[in-house]
Amino acid sequence: MATETDWYQELLEVERELMARAPESAPQPSLDRVRALADLMGGTHQAYPVVHLTGTNGKTTTSRITEAVLRAHGLKTGGFTSPHLQSLVERVTIDGRPLSAERFVQTYRRARPYLDEVDRTQPIIMSYFEAFMGVVFAALADAKIDVGIIEVGLGGAWDATNIVDSAVSVITPIDLDHQKFLGSTRAEIAREKAGIIKPGSTVVIARQVDEVRPVLTERIEQVGATAYWEDRDFAVLSRTATDAGQTLRVRTPSGAVFDGLELPLHGAHQAQNTAVALAAAEALLAPRQPLDPERVRAGIAAASSPGRLEVVGSHPLTVIDAAHNPAGAHTTAQGLVDAFPGVRFTGVVAILADKDVKGILTELEPVLEQIVVTTNSSPRALPADQLTTLATSIFGPDRVHTEPTLERAIDLARHQLSTPDGGILITGSIVTAGEARTILT
């Protein structure tokens, strides 16, 4: 009988097979392949209602909070977020818990003949992400969930998740990222992401910059969707930072006001994510079931978002954040000041070469006393010596240190550079955040 270790080894083999396909960082703009796979497997993408989320930043946390609130209301939930921090299976959850290695491997084995069939009959073989989503849709259908909360992989219109006919779509803040694939301006990126808004559906929209709003409005009018906009239709009415996170008061589109929400996450942006999540949950449940105040409080209190201003150590204070674009780094910097006033942070930073490295460093500079530049295991990582050159141009030579590995960089920051009133921020990439969690947790 196979043990948990055996299944984990099988999972690694499955991951190697998937990784042999075109990477998720190089999408092929077509829904034909993933739709063909899902249809061959019995229309698994149509087996449950879906809350579908896109945006540039905040998607994963908003997904997790939405899932926690719906689960607290008695729904069996299935979740998908992307990418993962440490393990492939953490992308897929059933009732808030990662899919087991055994279940993932078994679902992949069942999908494999259909994958081969699609590869044979389509002009281009399925990519890593398309094949992965075929397994995800089947795993969620097998679990007989009541609702799927599904985050896009990249963009929206041509993302492999977009074969779902979502009842509710969510647009978190849109900014510049993945310009090579999505467009060079915020408006172009918004047009791609607006593609997840389905005819006759409800869309919940986080606060957006002026450049984005008309693009989203055009799509909403085109497909006859009902839109709820942050600040106009729902809002964070008040928030108070606490040691454990923050206490919130939130108004939803129905006009309901929820007081005393104890959110165990730091930063004003997480309060906004909570408001978006509550609006999405309300939209899905209405009109059958209004949000229940006690269940909302329970769901918010149970929410988690690893790698997002996550405290993983106290002596010194050590925080991990997955910020990987300038807008995300700006939010992280604001969150540090808000959640940890008076703490002098040393940064440990590793960034992927295809990101706006200067933009990220510029946003982090005001909140970091010193920076230790390093690299992570991704083949896309910017080498530490090149990152040092860029960091020195922004921080000055006296504030920049270099270590060749993430573990040594963390060790330097924690044991030699930290002060009694200081803290450590480890950031720059989702890969960096995940590897730091492996080292420290």
Side-chain angles (χ1 to χ4, degrees), residues 376-414:
N376 58 47
S377 67
S378 171
R380 295 160 55 204
L382 186 68
D385 58 341
Q386 295 181 37
L387 185 54
T388 297
T389 300
L390 291 171
T392 300
S393 71
I394 294 166
F395 286 78
D398 294 341
R399 296 166 64 196
V400 179
H401 309 264
T402 306
E403 285 291 346
T405 68
L406 181 60
E407 188 165 11
R408 286 176 59 177
I410 293 171
D411 186 72
L412 174 64
R414 295 184 78 195

Side-chain angles (χ1 to χ4, degrees), residues 17-42:
E17 287 189 25
L18 289 169
M19 292 292 287
R21 295 175 175 272
E24 56 189 323
S25 59
Q28 303 284 344
S30 171
L31 299 179
D32 293 343
R33 294 176 295 276
V34 68
R35 184 176 283 117
L37 176 60
D39 287 344
L40 285 171
M41 297 188 71

Side-chain angles (χ1 to χ4, degrees), residues 317 336-345 369 419-423:
L317 172 66
L336 287 181
V337 174
D338 176 79
F340 312 107
V343 177
R344 302 168 62 182
F345 278 92
E369 292 284 313
T419 61
D421 63 345

Side-chain angles (χ1 to χ4, degrees), residues 48-73:
Y48 36 82
V50 168
V51 177
H52 196 193
L53 300 95
T54 191
T56 303
N57 294 305
K59 298 185 297 295
T60 295
T61 299
T62 305
S63 296
R64 293 183 185 280
I65 298 172
T66 304
E67 185 278 330
V69 171
L70 292 174
R71 180 159 38 93
H73 281 77

Side-chain angles (χ1 to χ4, degrees), residues 292-308:
D292 176 81
E294 291 307 313
R295 293 186 177 194
V296 167
R297 290 188 187 97
I300 298 301
S304 66
S305 195
R308 277 72 181 178

Side-chain angles (χ1 to χ4, degrees), residues 71-381:
R71 180 159 38 93
H73 281 77
L75 275 66
K76 184 173 186 179
T77 59
F80 173 75
T81 57
S82 174
H84 59 273
L85 287 169
Q86 293 166 275
S87 171
L88 190 72
V89 292
E90 73 188 50
R91 298 189 185 202
V92 192
T93 60
I94 306 297
D95 276 340
R97 297 186 176 186
L99 197 69
S100 69
E102 178 181 0
R103 180 65 61 85
F104 189 92
V105 169
Q106 289 175 339
T107 307
Y108 175 78
R109 287 175 176 171
R110 181 160 59 86
R112 181 60 190 273
Y114 303 110
L115 283 168
D116 293 342
E117 175 67 13
V118 174
D119 286 344
R120 282 195 300 271
T121 57
Q122 293 288 326
I124 300 174
I125 67 170
M126 298 192 78
S127 69
Y128 168 95
F129 191 72
E130 291 168 341
F132 191 99
M133 286 312 304
V135 177
V136 170
F137 289 134
L140 297 183
D142 289 348
K144 295 181 170 52
I145 60 172
D146 297 316
V147 59
I149 302 94
I150 296 177
E151 174 188 333
V152 302
L154 180 65
W158 296 111
D159 187 74
T161 64
N162 202 32
I163 61 171
V164 300
D165 187 16
S166 52
V168 178
S169 53
V170 175
I171 315 288
T172 66
I174 293 173
D175 215 297
L176 297 176
D177 201 6
H178 302 293
Q179 291 97 310
K180 178 180 178 181
F181 304 108
L182 304 181
S184 60
T185 68
R186 292 173 180 85
E188 290 173 341
I189 293 169
R191 187 162 288 107
E192 172 69 19
K193 292 181 182 292
I196 74 164
I197 304 172
K198 301 301 194 297
S201 67
T202 298
V203 56
V204 175
I205 304 171
R207 188 178 300 148
Q208 304 290 343
V209 297
D210 290 344
E211 186 180 352
V212 164
R213 292 175 64 89
V215 177
L216 299 182
T217 298
E218 179 184 4
R219 172 67 179 180
I220 290 162
E221 293 175 349
Q222 181 184 56
V223 301
T226 299
Y228 296 129
W229 297 82
E230 186 179 1
D231 299 322
R232 187 192 75 179
D233 300 303
F234 64 95
V236 178
L237 300 179
S238 66
R239 58 177 294 272
T240 303
T242 66
D243 289 343
Q246 52 195 305
T247 304
L248 309 178
R249 186 169 183 257
V250 175
R251 173 174 55 83
T252 61
S254 70
V257 174
F258 297 91
D259 291 294
L261 304 180
E262 298 293 339
L263 178 69
L265 303 173
H266 295 288
H269 63 295
Q270 301 293 30
Q272 288 183 265
N273 290 338
T274 300
V276 173
L278 285 180
E282 184 178 78
L284 183 85
L285 292 173
R288 294 175 292 105
Q289 181 182 1
L291 291 177
D292 176 81
E294 291 307 313
R295 293 186 177 194
V296 167
R297 290 188 187 97
I300 298 301
S304 66
S305 195
R308 277 72 181 178
L309 280 182
E310 179 186 17
V311 177
V312 295
S314 56
H315 299 291
L317 172 66
T318 304
V319 179
I320 294 175
D321 192 85
H324 54 281
N325 55 52
H330 178 78
T331 298
T332 296
Q334 289 184 320
L336 287 181
V337 174
D338 176 79
F340 312 107
V343 177
R344 302 168 62 182
F345 278 92
T346 294
V348 175
V349 179
I351 306 174
L352 302 186
D354 55 3
K355 297 295 183 178
D356 181 356
V357 179
K358 280 190 174 181
I360 294 170
L361 293 174
T362 299
E363 294 292 350
L364 294 175
E365 188 275 334
V367 297
L368 299 181
E369 292 284 313
Q370 304 177 85
I371 183 172
V372 183
V373 300
T374 185
T375 190
N376 58 47
S377 67
S378 171
R380 295 160 55 204

